[in-house]
Amino acid sequence: MDLRISMLVLLFALLISTTKALDPCNSQSNGNDLSVIPIYSKCSPFKPPKIESWVNTIMDMASTNDPERVKYLSSLVAKKKTSSVPIGPGQRLFNINNYVVRAKLGSPGQLMYMVLDTSNDAAWVPCSGCAGCSNTMFTPNTSSSYAPLDCSKPQCSYLRGVSTSCVSGGPTDQCLFNQTYGGDSSFSATLVQDSLTLADDVVPNYAFGCINAVSGGSIPTQGLLGLGRGPLSLLSQSGSLYSGLFSYCLPSFKSYYFSGSLKLGPLGQPSKIRTTPLLSNPHRPSLYFVNLTGVSIGRVLVPIAPEFLAFNPNTGSGTVIDSGTVVTRFVQPAYEAIRDQFRKQVKGPFSNLGVFDTCFASTSEAEAPIVTFHFTGLDLKLPTENSLIHSSSGNLACLAMAAAPNNVNSVLNVIANYQQQNLRILFDVANSRVGIARELCN
């Protein structure tokens, strides 16, 4: 009898371990892999809103949140290894940002699902006691490595585009700041430092904003990880750990799992990848500018006046690659030229659907031409899944691009995350280059 019971216990333990091994949501980040998932995927802890389909979600985000995101971008002023952090696509909970990574803050680490943002430097998370924040917050008093930063610290002077103030009342004068985000939201925070853990890497004394109160609906629920180019960004604060280099592959919005990845450091990056120069703009120093020289629809190079594409460090105009905007936006004259050439090559009639103004019967999709972005030294031919989006019913296909919002005095063209799906995008700040390679990460 004892032998039979022992056998049953052994079989039960084996069944549990096998089930966990087969569960894609049970996979853990390792030293070379950090997952990224959609915020409403099966592996996500967030409950999805009542929506008809992911397509409707994207269209809603592109219509309601992208304009604020583009407006926000336009307002911005002035150890050699690799670690791979899983990435997943998000949906409407984070409003204007759609990809999240798993990170841990504090000692011991507290798990946070933070939005990936290449156009912000500082990271920030909601902290316990925050007014207007979600139920998931970072708890400073349980971390042995937590410390507030006073106004005398250089990190306080590194805050850009925000209003700062100092508050006395303790052993130090705390560095407080207020920041707008997404165009329609804002928050107040205290600048603090603690340990940041990504996969197996620990970045000690990582400075970030501890949010005290929020206003508006665009603030990421569990915080944001800044991957910009400024002194408070992850690349700057990690010092030589990542050698000023990272890349990501964003999975499809339809992906359920943490199938994308954020790779940090030079090792494990693609050995063969086409690159284009990374440009610096003093008016918008955090953004990743590239030189977009033209756009082709099929075999036709679209006639676009050079001033609508040209990089100009004196005015802040040009083209940026951004992880937070949903669909690619061009300044109005450039978009209209692209749209008109696309319409010439596809059988109409055309209709509007949300922010998209070039929708046609999906039965004509086979006629849709390839869209190619021409950068200095690099041509990017968009896969059909990156250039077209379908209605929830499937009967319409739309050109998945739009003009910059009318209420934005924008001189920026933004290559957005829908056009970046299933591509490895490499940001090599140390060598001033951006690389792009095809990679299926669904």
Side-chain angles (χ1 to χ4, degrees):
M1 177 66 72
D2 291 341
L3 177 61
R4 187 177 302 172
I5 293 174
S6 298
M7 290 293 291
L8 288 173
V9 171
L10 179 61
L11 287 173
F12 181 70
L14 180 62
L15 177 62
I16 291 176
S17 62
T18 303
T19 301
K20 288 184 177 181
L22 295 175
D23 182 5
C25 296
N26 192 53
S27 60
Q28 299 295 317
S29 303
N30 56 48
N32 294 318
D33 197 347
L34 193 59
S35 298
V36 181
I37 62 163
I39 192 169
Y40 292 140
S41 72
K42 291 182 179 179
C43 298
S44 173
F46 302 114
K47 293 182 179 180
K50 294 181 180 180
I51 53 177
E52 296 179 8
S53 71
W54 69 271
V55 174
N56 287 346
T57 298
I58 291 176
M59 290 186 176
D60 179 65
M61 292 165 65
S63 299
T64 61
N65 300 316
D66 265 7
E68 295 297 340
R69 173 74 180 186
V70 174
K71 182 178 179 181
Y72 163 72
L73 294 177
S74 300
S75 69
L76 292 179
V77 292
K79 164 185 166 179
K80 298 187 178 179
K81 57 171 291 182
T82 188
S83 291
S84 187
V85 185
I87 296 178
Q91 299 293 335
R92 294 195 302 184
L93 183 60
F94 287 164
N95 292 320
I96 62 173
N97 293 290
N98 309 295
Y99 290 91
V100 294
V101 296
R102 288 182 290 211
K104 292 182 179 180
L105 284 170
S107 303
Q110 300 175 39
L111 178 63
M112 305 294 289
Y113 287 82
M114 302 177 73
V115 164
L116 191 74
D117 195 336
T118 56
S119 296
N120 265 272
D121 294 334
W124 21 269
V125 297
C127 290
S128 55
C130 174
C133 292
S134 69
N135 293 328
T136 301
M137 290 180 276
F138 173 66
T139 307
N141 61 11
T142 64
S143 173
S144 61
S145 49
Y146 169 87
L149 290 170
D150 63 55
C151 293
S152 65
K153 300 297 184 182
Q155 293 95 324
C156 191
S157 64
Y158 293 157
L159 290 165
R160 291 174 173 169
V162 302
S163 59
T164 59
S165 60
C166 292
V167 174
S168 301
T172 62
D173 294 334
Q174 295 185 27
C175 178
L176 307 181
F177 67 97
N178 296 302
Q179 182 170 340
T180 58
Y181 186 79
D184 64 346
S185 301
S186 62
F187 64 86
S188 60
T190 304
L191 192 64
V192 302
Q193 66 180 20
D194 209 330
S195 295
L196 170 69
T197 302
L198 296 171
D200 292 336
D201 294 338
V202 178
V203 181
N205 302 319
Y206 185 75
F208 62 94
C210 199
I211 298 179
N212 308 311
V214 301
S215 175
S218 296
I219 304 300
T221 307
Q222 292 192 26
L224 175 145
L225 183 65
L227 290 174
R229 303 167 70 178
L232 285 180
S233 70
L234 174 64
L235 284 188
S236 296
Q237 293 200 59
S238 59
S240 62
L241 182 63
Y242 301 129
S243 301
L245 188 151
F246 72 93
S247 73
Y248 58 64
C249 182
L250 303 179
S252 165
F253 279 97
K254 294 179 283 187
S255 174
Y256 280 116
Y257 306 110
F258 273 90
S259 54
S261 64
L262 169 66
K263 292 186 176 182
L264 300 162
L267 299 182
Q269 302 294 354
S271 58
K272 294 182 180 179
I273 189 169
R274 298 167 298 162
T275 63
T276 187
L278 174 62
L279 308 175
S280 296
N281 192 318
H283 290 275
R284 298 183 171 97
S286 297
L287 303 185
Y288 291 95
F289 278 86
V290 290
N291 191 29
L292 180 68
T293 60
V295 177
S296 288
I297 303 297
R299 297 182 179 181
V300 178
L301 181 63
V302 179
I304 302 173
E307 61 265 27
F308 298 126
L309 299 179
F311 170 72
N312 188 333
N314 295 320
T315 64
S317 64
T319 300
V320 299
I321 296 180
D322 178 48
S323 66
T325 308
V326 179
V327 297
T328 291
R329 301 277 183 152
F330 292 100
V331 295
Q332 190 80 29
Y335 172 72
E336 290 176 353
I338 294 168
R339 175 201 63 193
D340 293 347
Q341 181 55 233
F342 185 90
R343 288 180 175 182
K344 289 179 181 178
Q345 300 184 39
V346 180
K347 182 179 179 180
F350 299 100
S351 59
N352 294 354
L353 185 61
V355 71
F356 307 112
D357 64 2
T358 302
C359 300
F360 52 94
S362 56
T363 52
S364 300
E365 185 176 333
E367 304 172 11
I370 297 294
V371 178
T372 304
F373 294 155
H374 302 289
F375 303 98
T376 300
L378 167 64
D379 290 338
L380 173 60
K381 291 186 177 181
L382 294 180
T384 302
E385 71 220 41
N386 291 18
S387 61
L388 297 180
I389 187 169
H390 298 82
S391 62
S392 56
S393 63
N395 64 324
L396 287 178
C398 305
L399 177 63
M401 300 173 196
N406 291 330
N407 63 339
V408 175
N409 184 22
S410 177
V411 290
L412 278 180
N413 302 301
V414 182
I415 308 300
N417 59 37
Y418 192 85
Q419 280 63 48
Q420 298 177 49
Q421 295 174 97
N422 288 307
L423 296 172
R424 173 65 57 182
I425 311 293
L426 172 76
F427 299 87
D428 186 352
V429 177
N431 295 298
S432 298
R433 62 178 188 150
V434 173
I436 303 177
R438 183 72 169 147
E439 180 180 322
L440 295 177
C441 59
N442 284 344

